[in-house]
Amino acid sequence: MASSDTIKATIAVADSASWYCAVCLVVLILLSSVRDTADREDGGAAVRGGQLLHRPCDEIYVVGEGETLHTISDKCGDPFIVEQNPHIHDPDDVFPGLVIKITPSKPQRSPRSLY
């Protein structure tokens, strides 16, 4: 059977280790929060109402609320969206969440130039 001093020492080490882990976790969360805020201030996408504002026109694009193929074409510089997306049978039937392929044919406007 272990002595009382050994048990107390073991409990003290375990208690110290758990406090150390808790402090490390809090520091990591704070660092992550600060980095996310700094990224957003440096031109990262802001989120408002569940939608990304100033989304880039990546090769794979997810249609947002209120967008049409025409507005996406103007925004991303791709006049051939319908031709490159055979799953779009009706250009007027575009809905939020629809995934489309974008191939810009002209340079994109920067998000800051939209205002």
Side-chain angles (χ1 to χ4, degrees), residues 29-80:
I29 290 171
L30 289 174
L31 286 174
S32 175
S33 173
V34 168
R35 184 178 52 203
D36 288 346
T37 303
D39 288 346
R40 195 167 300 125
E41 289 171 357
D42 292 339
V47 178
R48 182 182 297 157
Q51 292 183 337
L52 289 174
L53 301 176
H54 308 302
R55 292 184 303 180
C57 295
D58 294 326
E59 184 176 335
I60 302 299
Y61 188 88
V62 180
V63 176
E65 185 72 33
E67 290 185 310
T68 65
L69 289 182
H70 182 72
T71 60
I72 296 169
S73 175
D74 286 347
K75 175 180 176 181
C76 299
D78 183 2
F80 304 106

Side-chain angles (χ1 to χ4, degrees), residues 9-23:
T10 304
I11 291 173
V13 168
D15 192 39
S16 296
S18 64
W19 274 106
Y20 177 77
C21 289
V23 168

